[in-house]
Every structure is written in C-alpha cells, then in structure tokens.
Amino acid sequence: NHLIKSGHEYIAYINNDKSSELNIERINGYKKALADNNIQSSPSYIINNVLSEPAFFQTLRLLNLLQNP
C-alpha cells in the first residue's frame, strides 16, 4: 500500500517461486491491494521464478520496456 499511497499505479510483483504457498498468498495480497485501490492488475507485472541476481536485473530491464513502467 505504500507505493499506492505514494501515487504509483504501475507496480510489479517479482518472486522466486510461484508455486510456494507463501508466494501464492503474496500474489493474492498484491492483487487485492491493487483492486482495493481501483488499479487493474496486469499479468505483465507479475514475474515468477526470478532465481538469481542477473535474472532480477534482466527482469527490471524488461519491465522498463513495458508501455507504462
């Protein structure tokens, strides 16, 4: 909610294991926070299986290429 309260509308969720129960709860919380604030969730902003630092930075570069980063 901090990012939303700061005026951000394009917020990504990056995780390292989409199948873990904890990450499923976090993704659901991410989607709920967006929905509660009338921000549409986009599958392009949910990035799964980022397992290393180089992959993380590559993910950030890809997110910056999206139309509304």
Side-chain angles (χ1 to χ4, degrees), residues 48-61:
N48 295 302
N49 297 324
V50 176
L51 301 174
S52 67
E53 188 173 320
F56 175 77
F57 287 110
Q58 177 65 22
T59 298
L60 293 181
R61 284 191 287 280

PDB file of all heavy atoms in Angstrom, residues 48-61:
ATOM      1  N   ASN A  48       7.479 -14.351 -12.263  1.00  0.00           N
ATOM      2  CA  ASN A  48       7.752 -15.529 -11.432  1.00  0.00           C
ATOM      3  C   ASN A  48       9.113 -16.129 -11.728  1.00  0.00           C
ATOM      4  O   ASN A  48       9.652 -15.966 -12.815  1.00  0.00           O
ATOM      5  CB  ASN A  48       6.681 -16.599 -11.687  1.00  0.00           C
ATOM      6  CG  ASN A  48       5.316 -16.140 -11.242  1.00  0.00           C
ATOM      7  OD1 ASN A  48       5.121 -15.811 -10.089  1.00  0.00           O
ATOM      8  ND2 ASN A  48       4.371 -16.102 -12.168  1.00  0.00           N
ATOM      9  N   ASN A  49       9.613 -16.843 -10.746  1.00  0.00           N
ATOM     10  CA  ASN A  49      10.827 -17.651 -10.881  1.00  0.00           C
ATOM     11  C   ASN A  49      12.081 -16.842 -11.189  1.00  0.00           C
ATOM     12  O   ASN A  49      12.916 -17.254 -11.990  1.00  0.00           O
ATOM     13  CB  ASN A  49      10.623 -18.759 -11.922  1.00  0.00           C
ATOM     14  CG  ASN A  49       9.551 -19.729 -11.497  1.00  0.00           C
ATOM     15  OD1 ASN A  49       9.416 -20.020 -10.319  1.00  0.00           O
ATOM     16  ND2 ASN A  49       8.774 -20.199 -12.443  1.00  0.00           N
ATOM     17  N   VAL A  50      12.224 -15.700 -10.561  1.00  0.00           N
ATOM     18  CA  VAL A  50      13.460 -14.921 -10.662  1.00  0.00           C
ATOM     19  C   VAL A  50      14.385 -15.469  -9.579  1.00  0.00           C
ATOM     20  O   VAL A  50      14.212 -15.190  -8.399  1.00  0.00           O
ATOM     21  CB  VAL A  50      13.181 -13.410 -10.478  1.00  0.00           C
ATOM     22  CG1 VAL A  50      14.474 -12.633 -10.500  1.00  0.00           C
ATOM     23  CG2 VAL A  50      12.226 -12.929 -11.549  1.00  0.00           C
ATOM     24  N   LEU A  51      15.349 -16.286 -10.005  1.00  0.00           N
ATOM     25  CA  LEU A  51      16.133 -17.065  -9.047  1.00  0.00           C
ATOM     26  C   LEU A  51      17.543 -16.552  -8.800  1.00  0.00           C
ATOM     27  O   LEU A  51      18.238 -17.067  -7.944  1.00  0.00           O
ATOM     28  CB  LEU A  51      16.200 -18.522  -9.526  1.00  0.00           C
ATOM     29  CG  LEU A  51      14.843 -19.212  -9.696  1.00  0.00           C
ATOM     30  CD1 LEU A  51      15.039 -20.593 -10.309  1.00  0.00           C
ATOM     31  CD2 LEU A  51      14.127 -19.316  -8.365  1.00  0.00           C
ATOM     32  N   SER A  52      17.979 -15.536  -9.552  1.00  0.00           N
ATOM     33  CA  SER A  52      19.347 -15.059  -9.369  1.00  0.00           C
ATOM     34  C   SER A  52      19.390 -13.544  -9.526  1.00  0.00           C
ATOM     35  O   SER A  52      18.463 -12.929 -10.054  1.00  0.00           O
ATOM     36  CB  SER A  52      20.277 -15.703 -10.402  1.00  0.00           C
ATOM     37  OG  SER A  52      19.937 -15.232 -11.705  1.00  0.00           O
ATOM     38  N   GLU A  53      20.474 -12.958  -9.093  1.00  0.00           N
ATOM     39  CA  GLU A  53      20.635 -11.513  -9.225  1.00  0.00           C
ATOM     40  C   GLU A  53      20.646 -11.069 -10.691  1.00  0.00           C
ATOM     41  O   GLU A  53      19.960 -10.109 -11.036  1.00  0.00           O
ATOM     42  CB  GLU A  53      21.908 -11.058  -8.507  1.00  0.00           C
ATOM     43  CG  GLU A  53      22.033  -9.556  -8.435  1.00  0.00           C
ATOM     44  CD  GLU A  53      23.204  -9.119  -7.591  1.00  0.00           C
ATOM     45  OE1 GLU A  53      23.455  -9.735  -6.537  1.00  0.00           O
ATOM     46  OE2 GLU A  53      23.866  -8.158  -7.996  1.00  0.00           O
ATOM     47  N   PRO A  54      21.379 -11.756 -11.583  1.00  0.00           N
ATOM     48  CA  PRO A  54      21.322 -11.353 -13.001  1.00  0.00           C
ATOM     49  C   PRO A  54      19.899 -11.442 -13.571  1.00  0.00           C
ATOM     50  O   PRO A  54      19.483 -10.580 -14.337  1.00  0.00           O
ATOM     51  CB  PRO A  54      22.259 -12.332 -13.697  1.00  0.00           C
ATOM     52  CG  PRO A  54      23.208 -12.772 -12.634  1.00  0.00           C
ATOM     53  CD  PRO A  54      22.390 -12.802 -11.373  1.00  0.00           C
ATOM     54  N   ALA A  55      19.153 -12.470 -13.190  1.00  0.00           N
ATOM     55  CA  ALA A  55      17.771 -12.606 -13.663  1.00  0.00           C
ATOM     56  C   ALA A  55      16.910 -11.476 -13.135  1.00  0.00           C
ATOM     57  O   ALA A  55      16.029 -10.964 -13.832  1.00  0.00           O
ATOM     58  CB  ALA A  55      17.194 -13.953 -13.243  1.00  0.00           C
ATOM     59  N   PHE A  56      17.158 -11.055 -11.895  1.00  0.00           N
ATOM     60  CA  PHE A  56      16.417  -9.945 -11.310  1.00  0.00           C
ATOM     61  C   PHE A  56      16.654  -8.667 -12.116  1.00  0.00           C
ATOM     62  O   PHE A  56      15.702  -7.961 -12.471  1.00  0.00           O
ATOM     63  CB  PHE A  56      16.829  -9.745  -9.846  1.00  0.00           C
ATOM     64  CG  PHE A  56      16.202  -8.544  -9.213  1.00  0.00           C
ATOM     65  CD1 PHE A  56      14.881  -8.566  -8.805  1.00  0.00           C
ATOM     66  CD2 PHE A  56      16.936  -7.384  -9.028  1.00  0.00           C
ATOM     67  CE1 PHE A  56      14.297  -7.448  -8.221  1.00  0.00           C
ATOM     68  CE2 PHE A  56      16.363  -6.268  -8.439  1.00  0.00           C
ATOM     69  CZ  PHE A  56      15.039  -6.300  -8.033  1.00  0.00           C
ATOM     70  N   PHE A  57      17.909  -8.367 -12.427  1.00  0.00           N
ATOM     71  CA  PHE A  57      18.204  -7.144 -13.175  1.00  0.00           C
ATOM     72  C   PHE A  57      17.677  -7.225 -14.606  1.00  0.00           C
ATOM     73  O   PHE A  57      17.219  -6.219 -15.157  1.00  0.00           O
ATOM     74  CB  PHE A  57      19.695  -6.818 -13.127  1.00  0.00           C
ATOM     75  CG  PHE A  57      20.105  -6.298 -11.777  1.00  0.00           C
ATOM     76  CD1 PHE A  57      20.893  -7.062 -10.932  1.00  0.00           C
ATOM     77  CD2 PHE A  57      19.669  -5.062 -11.337  1.00  0.00           C
ATOM     78  CE1 PHE A  57      21.250  -6.590  -9.678  1.00  0.00           C
ATOM     79  CE2 PHE A  57      20.016  -4.583 -10.082  1.00  0.00           C
ATOM     80  CZ  PHE A  57      20.806  -5.340  -9.252  1.00  0.00           C
ATOM     81  N   GLN A  58      17.687  -8.401 -15.206  1.00  0.00           N
ATOM     82  CA  GLN A  58      17.092  -8.580 -16.529  1.00  0.00           C
ATOM     83  C   GLN A  58      15.583  -8.329 -16.460  1.00  0.00           C
ATOM     84  O   GLN A  58      15.007  -7.701 -17.346  1.00  0.00           O
ATOM     85  CB  GLN A  58      17.379  -9.979 -17.073  1.00  0.00           C
ATOM     86  CG  GLN A  58      16.746 -10.269 -18.413  1.00  0.00           C
ATOM     87  CD  GLN A  58      17.287  -9.395 -19.541  1.00  0.00           C
ATOM     88  OE1 GLN A  58      18.379  -8.860 -19.467  1.00  0.00           O
ATOM     89  NE2 GLN A  58      16.509  -9.260 -20.583  1.00  0.00           N
ATOM     90  N   THR A  59      14.959  -8.793 -15.394  1.00  0.00           N
ATOM     91  CA  THR A  59      13.526  -8.568 -15.197  1.00  0.00           C
ATOM     92  C   THR A  59      13.233  -7.077 -15.094  1.00  0.00           C
ATOM     93  O   THR A  59      12.270  -6.582 -15.693  1.00  0.00           O
ATOM     94  CB  THR A  59      13.040  -9.298 -13.932  1.00  0.00           C
ATOM     95  OG1 THR A  59      13.237 -10.704 -14.120  1.00  0.00           O
ATOM     96  CG2 THR A  59      11.584  -9.030 -13.645  1.00  0.00           C
ATOM     97  N   LEU A  60      14.052  -6.348 -14.359  1.00  0.00           N
ATOM     98  CA  LEU A  60      13.858  -4.901 -14.243  1.00  0.00           C
ATOM     99  C   LEU A  60      13.979  -4.220 -15.599  1.00  0.00           C
ATOM    100  O   LEU A  60      13.192  -3.322 -15.935  1.00  0.00           O
ATOM    101  CB  LEU A  60      14.859  -4.296 -13.261  1.00  0.00           C
ATOM    102  CG  LEU A  60      14.696  -4.693 -11.801  1.00  0.00           C
ATOM    103  CD1 LEU A  60      15.757  -3.992 -10.953  1.00  0.00           C
ATOM    104  CD2 LEU A  60      13.302  -4.371 -11.289  1.00  0.00           C
ATOM    105  N   ARG A  61      14.951  -4.649 -16.391  1.00  0.00           N
ATOM    106  CA  ARG A  61      15.107  -4.074 -17.741  1.00  0.00           C
ATOM    107  C   ARG A  61      13.867  -4.352 -18.591  1.00  0.00           C
ATOM    108  O   ARG A  61      13.378  -3.468 -19.307  1.00  0.00           O
ATOM    109  CB  ARG A  61      16.362  -4.619 -18.419  1.00  0.00           C
ATOM    110  CG  ARG A  61      17.651  -4.014 -17.899  1.00  0.00           C
ATOM    111  CD  ARG A  61      18.845  -4.361 -18.765  1.00  0.00           C
ATOM    112  NE  ARG A  61      19.272  -5.744 -18.619  1.00  0.00           N
ATOM    113  CZ  ARG A  61      20.027  -6.215 -17.624  1.00  0.00           C
ATOM    114  NH1 ARG A  61      20.466  -5.379 -16.690  1.00  0.00           N
ATOM    115  NH2 ARG A  61      20.372  -7.472 -17.567  1.00  0.00           N
TER     116      ARG A  61
END
